[in-house]
Amino acid sequence: MSGLEAVIGLEIHVQLATRTKMFCGCELSFGDHANVHTCPICLAHPGTLPVTNERAVIYGLRIAAALGCEVAPRSIFHRKNYFYPDSPKAYQISQYDFPLAGPGELGGIRVHRAHLEEDAAKLIHVGESGRIHGSGASLVDFNRGGTPLVEIVTEPDLRSAAEAREWAQLLRATLRQLDVSNVNMEEGSLRVDANVSVRPEGSGELGTKSELKNMNSFRFLERGIEAELERQRELIAAGEEVQQETLHFDPSDGSLTPLRSKEYSHDYRYFPEPDLVPMVPTEEMLEEARRDLPEPPAARRERYVSELGVSEGAAATLAFEPAYGEYFERAMGAPGGGSAAATAIWVTGELVGSLRQADAEEEPLASKATPEAVRALAGLVEEKKISNGAGKQVLAALVAEGGDPAAIVERDGLGQISGSGELEAIVDRAIEAEPEAADEVRKGNPKAIGRIVGAVMKESKGRADGDGVQKLILERLGQG
Amino acid sequence: MIEKGQVVHVARLARLELSEQELERMARELSGILEHVDKLSELDLEGVEPTLHVVALQNVLRPDEPHASLPPEKALESAPDPAEGAFRVPSPQA
């Protein structure tokens, strides 16, 4: 059934990399022994009072600024009431109708809100299967309980699983350069839940949604949403209805299992937290939050495309991978060489490829190929002083030994041959070597030219300019 | 007017087990309380901000500096069933 479009919204929890918890001075940790970072406040002993961590508020404001969110002049903490062993108070301190920040936008997707809250404790389910279902007992570790979180909620603006994954990656790149979180999905410092529904294409209404949890990598996020969209489309094709439910993604087999519905779990009876007073961000706090705010990746990508003429794909790589972005900026700071568009392609294509091939996850700026050299190389190819294929050989030499591209071209005899008698001789030999292909081309089938071009490239060791070779072959075969 | 069904619902949310008699009494008493509070709606509250807090304070914040946490054995002292350095509880999903 094709006429159903996907409607996806994301809810992202970001653990803030403060030193201490949201409402007490216990240190944050990852991987320590259980219950070594607890105190009467985060264990909810009677008579204790929470006090808000100023740094967490600043980090929240910093995230809000990066997402272009309006900061609320006054925001309020609420109690979200529920009984579960991960919450010793039987409520989570969160924000409700007066969140820290309101509407914003990132990469064309609207952000509904961003608010502060505290993380729950970690439950380790023990028992026969070790999985959530069928466990006999649970162990509670309160180290994580009270960790500061920012929850970011998008509008349901995403239209495919791949788009949701890409946007989540953009969000992570944006958050990572703010230095407010480790944003590591495997470790749980970035957690992405998806609200998924389908509706007839063009409909303005929202279908019944399900909520997907536990997708702890970008790949699983995409696969989980994909599987859920498929399931909903099948249900509707079979004339059934989608139920509102929470589904748990199992990365081992890609299956989605409904979590046993916690009855009335959505009846949280929010009310204002009487132990905490309102937050009114001051000018000083806002200034500190915005200090040294880096150019957001989405803006950087946009600038590269619209101002420098860089292709969309290359711009995205440069904008979302800071190390390559920095490399590109340095290259463009060099006194001369290729255009931005050409340089970007060499950096994001051949350079990324060869550094990754070199096994070591090498930092581009630590590579022997300097930004200045790669830009000069892009210039040589652009000015047709060397062919694209020769350019690749020069780049390999730069990565292996460094140096100056023009000198490498000279040394290895990689200068372009074109229009000269030398090239004509090579072309003629190639036509002789491929008589069947030549006949095809003579009969007007231009596709057959590939084999002749291949032969030319092989003999010239990639030094011939591809376009020029094609033209010359057609001329020689009377098709020019 | 609070119906008995609503009492059952909120009692369940609060994990309270009420007898049939208690349910009826609660429905009656809760209705009375709401009726009493409802007197407020006789006032003209046009343009009056909801009172979220009675203290006129804002931005009570603390610096991000660690304090000493409890030794784990102290933290677990009053746990009824500690195990492996953690609070062991009946599985919430069982």
Side-chain angles (χ1 to χ4, degrees):
Chain A
M1 201 161 166
S2 61
L4 289 174
E5 79 172 348
V7 179
I8 303 158
L10 299 178
E11 286 180 22
I12 303 97
H13 286 88
V14 185
Q15 273 185 353
L16 301 179
T18 50
R19 280 190 75 188
T20 68
K21 293 185 179 181
M22 187 71 206
F23 299 113
C24 69
C26 285
E27 278 188 274
L28 304 188
S29 69
F30 184 80
D32 283 338
H33 286 293
N35 295 300
V36 296
H37 301 291
T38 72
C39 75
I41 296 172
C42 58
L43 290 176
H45 288 197
T48 56
L49 283 174
V51 187
T52 308
N53 182 339
E54 179 169 25
R55 186 113 305 258
V57 179
I58 300 286
Y59 283 1
L61 292 171
R62 195 165 166 80
I63 290 174
L67 301 179
C69 287
E70 289 168 30
V71 171
R74 177 168 172 268
S75 74
I76 306 285
F77 284 108
H78 271 68
R79 290 187 181 180
K80 178 180 180 177
N81 297 282
Y82 69 96
F83 281 103
Y84 210 70
D86 63 6
S87 171
K89 301 192 292 292
Y91 58 83
Q92 176 195 33
I93 302 179
S94 181
Q95 295 194 294
Y96 186 52
D97 48 1
F98 295 92
L100 184 75
E105 185 263 351
L106 177 71
I109 301 301
R110 291 172 301 157
V111 172
H112 176 61
R113 60 186 278 162
H115 72 246
L116 287 164
E117 59 184 33
E118 56 177 343
D119 208 346
K122 196 166 167 186
L123 285 189
I124 301 134
H125 299 279
V126 289
E128 319 91 81
S129 71
R131 288 184 45 203
I132 285 188
H133 299 277
S135 299
S138 299
L139 298 174
V140 193
D141 172 7
F142 286 100
N143 285 346
R144 195 184 68 184
T147 298
L149 294 178
V150 165
E151 180 178 335
I152 300 163
V153 183
T154 76
E155 297 290 348
D157 286 353
L158 297 153
R159 291 291 171 269
S160 74
E163 195 192 1
R165 193 249 311 137
E166 277 165 27
W167 189 83
Q169 284 172 318
L170 168 61
L171 177 69
R172 185 182 60 168
T174 305
L175 295 174
R176 186 162 50 189
Q177 62 173 25
L178 300 178
D179 279 330
V180 298
S181 168
N182 298 326
V183 286
N184 182 319
M185 283 182 91
E186 282 79 14
E187 289 179 0
S189 52
L190 180 71
R191 305 199 285 265
V192 185
D193 299 335
N195 292 314
V196 177
S197 63
V198 294
R199 68 179 176 197
E201 245 163 78
S203 160
E205 282 170 33
L206 295 172
T208 306
K209 68 178 179 188
S210 56
E211 193 179 347
L212 269 57
K213 287 185 176 292
N214 195 43
M215 297 166 293
N216 64 352
S217 75
F218 290 110
R219 198 161 55 92
F220 291 152
L221 174 68
E222 181 169 353
R223 271 178 49 195
I225 295 174
E226 203 62 74
E228 175 56 10
L229 286 170
E230 183 65 26
R231 191 188 70 91
Q232 291 191 9
R233 288 196 169 109
E234 278 170 14
L235 272 178
I236 289 171
E240 290 174 50
E241 280 179 14
V242 176
Q243 301 294 320
Q244 178 152 358
E245 60 187 339
T246 302
L247 300 165
H248 187 265
F249 179 73
D250 185 345
S252 65
D253 59 2
S255 67
L256 294 162
T257 343
L259 285 181
R260 195 165 133 182
S261 77
K262 291 181 221 165
E263 270 170 290
Y264 314 110
S265 69
H266 287 287
D267 200 343
Y268 290 128
R269 295 146 295 141
Y270 282 94
F271 66 90
E273 165 60 276
D275 290 344
L276 292 165
V277 299
M279 272 189 311
V280 179
T282 61
E283 208 41 57
E284 292 76 45
M285 289 163 78
L286 291 169
E287 241 166 64
E288 193 182 344
R290 292 194 207 109
R291 190 173 301 151
D292 304 322
L293 204 62
E295 181 184 27
R300 188 182 265 216
R301 176 179 58 182
E302 181 53 31
R303 178 168 64 84
Y304 285 165
V305 172
S306 62
E307 289 178 25
L308 298 180
V310 173
S311 72
E312 294 267 352
T317 304
L318 296 173
F320 300 166
E321 296 192 33
Y324 286 99
E326 175 68 19
Y327 189 95
F328 175 70
E329 294 278 341
R330 293 241 195 131
M332 294 319 294
S339 67
T343 306
I345 286 183
W346 280 98
V347 172
T348 59
E350 285 299 308
L351 183 68
V352 171
S354 64
L355 289 186
R356 284 193 183 142
Q357 208 171 26
D359 201 33
E361 265 292 299
E362 203 179 342
E363 279 291 313
L365 279 169
S367 154
K368 285 182 180 155
T370 64
E372 295 76 17
V374 171
R375 174 139 179 243
L377 164 64
L380 291 176
V381 177
E382 220 170 2
E383 293 156 22
K384 297 204 184 268
K385 288 189 175 137
I386 60 173
S387 71
N388 202 52
K392 290 182 185 178
Q393 295 177 48
V394 174
L395 188 93
L398 286 174
V399 170
E401 56 197 272
D404 169 53
I408 294 171
V409 167
E410 185 78 16
R411 184 193 70 193
D412 295 351
L414 292 169
Q416 178 127 300
I417 37 171
S418 57
S420 64
E422 190 188 355
L423 184 61
E424 283 174 19
I426 296 174
V427 166
D428 288 343
R429 279 199 293 279
I431 289 171
E432 254 173 65
E434 297 286 347
E436 286 168 26
D439 273 346
E440 284 290 305
V441 177
R442 281 195 194 94
K443 282 186 216 152
N445 175 9
K447 278 188 194 151
I449 203 171
R451 290 177 58 187
I452 308 173
V453 174
V456 173
M457 288 304 175
K458 200 171 163 197
E459 193 178 337
S460 69
K461 300 197 177 66
R463 288 158 57 220
D465 163 47
D467 291 342
V469 168
Q470 283 222 5
K471 232 177 110 195
L472 191 59
I473 294 170
L474 290 171
E475 268 172 34
R476 298 304 247 197
L477 296 175
Q479 302 290 315
Chain B
M1 189 60 202
I2 295 283
E3 305 287 332
K4 207 173 81 183
Q6 291 169 286
V7 181
V8 172
H9 176 68
V10 292
R12 181 165 192 139
L13 289 173
R15 301 295 190 273
L16 292 175
E17 198 176 296
L18 299 178
S19 69
E20 194 61 24
Q21 251 179 338
E22 287 169 317
L23 285 175
E24 270 163 31
R25 203 185 84 213
M26 289 290 169
R28 208 165 50 241
E29 289 182 359
L30 286 171
S31 296
I33 292 167
L34 284 186
E35 229 166 82
H36 179 67
V37 173
D38 205 38
K39 278 199 86 65
L40 282 174
S41 58
E42 290 171 15
L43 296 170
D44 177 12
L45 297 174
E46 193 67 31
V48 176
E49 283 277 307
T51 303
L52 294 168
H53 287 274
V54 289
V55 286
L57 282 173
Q58 59 193 35
N59 295 345
V60 178
L61 304 167
R62 72 182 166 79
D64 184 26
E65 281 158 18
H67 66 194
S69 293
L70 291 172
E73 57 282 4
K74 189 86 185 156
L76 288 161
E77 207 172 49
S78 44
D81 182 24
E84 299 172 45
F87 296 76
R88 184 160 57 191
V89 298
S91 170
Q93 300 283 349

